[in-house]
Structure formats: C-alpha cells, structure tokens
Amino acid sequence: MPDTPFAPVILGNEPGSFPHSVLAERHPAIIRQVRDAFPYGPGQHRALDELLKSCTQGTVEPLPADAPDGDRWQEWGLSGCAGRSWYDVPWLWSESYFYRRLLDAVGWFGPGAWQGIDPFRPFKRAELDAPETDEELAALDVLPGLPEQERARALLYGSLWGNRADLGFRLSVEGAEGAEARDQAPALVADDSAALWSLLPPGGTATLVLVADNAGRELVPDLLLIAHLLAEGRAARAVLHVKPYPYYVSDATTADVVDALHRLRTASGAAVEYARVLWSAMADGRLTVRAHPFSCAPLPYAEMPDDLRAEFAAATLTVFKGDLNYRRLVGDRLWPPTTPFQETTAYFPGPVAALRTLKSDVITGLSAGTEAALVATEGRRWRTSGTHALIQVDLT
C-alpha cells in the first residue's frame, strides 16, 4: 500500500461515527440475537455475557491457550492489540476479532456438541427461504429471450446489487448510462463494467476468481453470474472464494454455497438450468470453491500470503464482492474520495475488480463532480446507506 499520511487508518473511537456505532451498538445487538436464536446452555450464556462486557467496556483479550489458530492470530497482530480498548485499535481488526471471539463463546471450535454449528445459520436460511427470493428467481425467466450481452449485463448488475437483483435486471434493460445521467446523485457512482467485460470476451479461456461476500440472497446472484460466464464461454474456469468459518453474520461459507445451490435446484423456470450448469461445473472442476484462512484475516489484502498472491496473479480477473472485501482491497482508510482506485490497488498481482454497495466510510475512485453531488444531496450518509454502488476495475 502507498505511504498515505493523508488517509489515516479508520478507528472506532470517535463518538457519533459509523465505526463507533458498530462497536457500541451493532455488536451487542448481534450477541443478543445469537443468544436468542439457539438453545445454548449456561456455558455459552456466560461466555456471551463476558464477550458483551469485554467489547463494550473492556479491552481486547488473548485467545485461549489451546486455540487452533492462535499462532495465526499472533501473526495478524493480536500481541499488539491485546490489552487495548476495542475502540482504539484499527476498526477492521476489532470487527474481525469480535467475530472470532463470538465463535469461541458459542463453542464453534469445540470440542463439544456445538462444534461447527454456525451461529448465524437461522438468519441466513430465513433470508434464502423468504418469498422475495422466489420473486427474484422468477425474474430470471425474462433473460433467455435477451441477447447474450444483455443477459450478461443484467446478471452483473444483479450481482452488484445483491438482494436487489430485480433492480439489476431493470438497469440492464433500460440502459444504466441514461438513467445515471438523469440523476443528480447517481445510484451507481462509478462504472468500469466495459473494462471488466474486455477481460471476459465470449469464447475466451479466462480464469475468473470471485471473492464472495454475503450468503443467502446475495450469494445467489453471484452464482448466477458465474453460471452465465461458464455457460457462454466468457470464462473457462471459475474459483469462488468463501470464508473458512462463519464471519460478519452473513458472510458466505461452503455450507452456504451448498444451501444456495439447493435453493436454485428446487426453484422453477430458468433458475433450474442455472443450477444444472453450476452443479455440473463443480463436478468436472470448472468451478471450485476455496476457503483460504486469509479470507478471515483482520488485515488488508496488501498483506496477503504468497500462495494467495500467486493464485490471484494467475487469474485473468479477480472480482472482490461487497463492502468488507472492498475495505480490505483498498485499505480501511479515510481516503479522499477522488483518490484513484488504481493507486490503492497498485500492489495487486493481476487485474482486479470491485463490485460493491457502499456501507462504510471507505471510498476511492470518484470524480470530483460525483462526490460533490453526493455530498450536496445526502451529506455523509451516502457512504454508509447502501443505496449507492460501484464497479471499479484496475487492469494493470
């Protein structure tokens, strides 16, 4: 990452800031929701109570001596953060460590009967099984009648907007450029999709790596996009990176990929064909799922290990989905919004793209005019409301 004294690392110690609200309000709420979602015993209840007290009033505590990933967390900075307030260490680090400690509290790492039980599974399944998912899958039935380029475009925007896939289809059909030009504060604040498609032409031999974000209704559009790219020859091979364990409430794991595939297989209409493509591609190796430990690291991707760097270097294109992955890709800093995206990703070993709805303060690659329109219309809220999105690409 470049030396950036003008772009400080984000902390959570400023009252009234978005990071402070996550640490002070969202994390305690998550503890209560997890506690209520399972019939945990006294041991888990005590551990959750202790975590609640620690993260709101106390300091960062070390992992248990027998933690299976203790050495890894030491490499990721635990020794330098232990004993400090959760609010005074980098926000990315404290958020990530909160979820690691939550898994300890509910017995994920075992031994015991609760080992490997995803504490967020009820929330993920409820979203995946919601009637809205049926409506979004039914929208796929209009795609077979469209030219391939329009179908690809629709699925790209569906992946970008996650559980607002219907908006993605509408944008594709009506033409996003015209819609954005009419809007003073555009929903799509940056669109490098032409550069993205230049790396994935029909009939090519591309290897696509997609670093997934959320499970449920946000993972389904990612899988649909992958299915289209494989079926139409825009990608010869795809690698889907997910988390090795439950993380940030809704982040996708391998189990969530399986749930999403089954959801597609039991749907009707065009969704079933997409499921067939994906199932077949996994069976013959054209689609693989990876769960690298660094996917849960509290660090920017600029500090990725050599094996992961080599994998990204070999890909035709690596796509990072979602807000957390964006923070890790460009660095969790208060960048001036007009800082070029390509400057913050210059370290990356190959072509890289970001598909993200804006849900945190980190942003790069905006034009001065776009930033001014957003600020004039919404103040700072545009950074965190999730009502704006971007597609950014670095081809170098």
Side-chain angles (χ1 to χ4, degrees), residues 25-382:
E25 301 169 17
R26 183 183 296 177
H27 286 180
I30 289 170
I31 292 174
R32 290 190 290 269
Q33 290 168 352
V34 167
R35 182 184 180 121
D36 293 342
F38 284 92
Y40 289 128
Q44 282 96 348
H45 286 172
R46 283 193 299 271
L48 289 169
D49 290 341
E50 291 170 3
L51 177 60
L52 176 61
K53 184 176 180 179
S54 170
C55 69
T56 55
Q57 306 172 27
T59 59
V60 174
E61 299 175 1
L63 290 173
D66 60 350
D69 53 353
D71 290 344
R72 184 176 296 138
W73 274 92
Q74 288 297 320
E75 295 174 4
W76 290 346
L78 178 56
S79 59
C81 294
R84 299 170 63 188
S85 167
W86 291 79
Y87 296 88
D88 293 336
V89 301
W91 182 45
L92 175 63
W93 200 97
S94 60
E95 269 200 296
S96 301
Y97 194 61
F98 166 79
Y99 288 102
R100 174 59 183 80
R101 292 312 305 260
L102 181 61
L103 291 183
D104 258 341
V106 298
W108 164 270
F109 292 99
W114 292 97
Q115 184 175 7
I117 301 299
D118 184 347
F120 310 125
R121 181 172 171 79
F123 317 126
K124 295 175 180 177
R125 286 298 316 185
E127 183 180 276
L128 192 61
D129 295 338
E132 291 84 356
T133 304
D134 290 318
E135 297 172 9
E136 289 161 3
L137 293 179
L140 294 170
D141 293 343
V142 307
L143 294 184
L146 299 176
E148 188 278 332
Q149 187 173 2
E150 290 188 29
R151 284 182 281 132
R153 179 183 175 83
L155 292 168
L156 177 67
Y157 279 91
S159 177
L160 170 65
W161 287 106
N163 61 12
R164 291 195 290 169
D166 55 337
L167 174 61
F169 297 140
R170 181 178 61 79
L171 283 172
S172 175
V173 173
E174 294 181 359
E177 292 88 350
E180 301 306 326
R182 293 190 299 269
D183 200 343
Q184 180 185 4
L188 194 59
V189 299
D191 186 0
D192 294 340
S193 55
L196 184 151
W197 291 126
S198 73
L199 295 172
L200 302 172
T205 59
T207 295
L208 171 73
V209 173
L210 192 149
V211 182
D213 184 33
N214 292 330
R217 288 167 58 203
E218 294 194 34
L219 180 60
V220 167
D222 297 342
L223 291 171
L224 296 172
L225 176 61
I226 290 173
H228 179 86
L229 297 176
L230 291 171
E232 299 296 333
R234 286 183 177 268
R237 180 173 177 264
V239 182
L240 178 66
H241 278 252
V242 297
K243 302 299 189 295
Y245 51 75
Y247 196 60
Y248 278 70
V249 181
S250 57
D251 281 29
T253 65
T254 302
D256 298 318
V257 174
V258 174
D259 283 345
L261 286 173
H262 279 294
R263 185 69 170 87
L264 288 172
R265 292 185 88 189
T266 57
S268 58
V272 177
E273 176 59 21
Y274 285 99
R276 187 199 64 77
V277 170
L278 291 163
W279 204 275
S280 174
M282 292 189 74
D284 63 26
R286 287 177 295 128
L287 171 58
T288 57
V289 178
R290 287 266 279 140
H292 195 285
F294 194 76
S295 294
C296 288
L299 303 171
Y301 271 95
E303 300 182 38
M304 74 182 90
D306 290 342
D307 64 325
L308 194 56
R309 179 177 294 273
E311 182 174 338
F312 291 152
T316 308
L317 175 65
T318 300
V319 175
F320 284 85
K321 276 296 309 294
D323 194 77
L324 173 61
N325 284 328
Y326 188 85
R327 292 165 58 194
R328 297 186 65 198
L329 176 64
V330 305
D332 202 35
R333 296 174 175 270
L334 287 174
W335 298 102
T338 55
T339 304
F341 174 72
Q342 292 78 8
E343 179 180 316
T344 63
T345 56
Y347 71 90
F348 203 80
V352 63
L355 272 64
R356 173 223 183 182
T357 54
L358 278 57
K359 299 177 183 177
S360 69
D361 288 312
V362 180
I363 184 67
T364 68
L366 297 191
S367 69
T370 296
E371 180 192 3
L374 290 166
V375 172
T377 304
E378 302 178 40
R380 287 186 62 88
R381 188 174 180 276
W382 62 270

Side-chain angles (χ1 to χ4, degrees), residues 6-21:
F6 64 93
V9 171
I10 295 176
L11 305 178
N13 58 6
E14 181 183 346
S17 69
F18 181 70
H20 189 276
S21 71

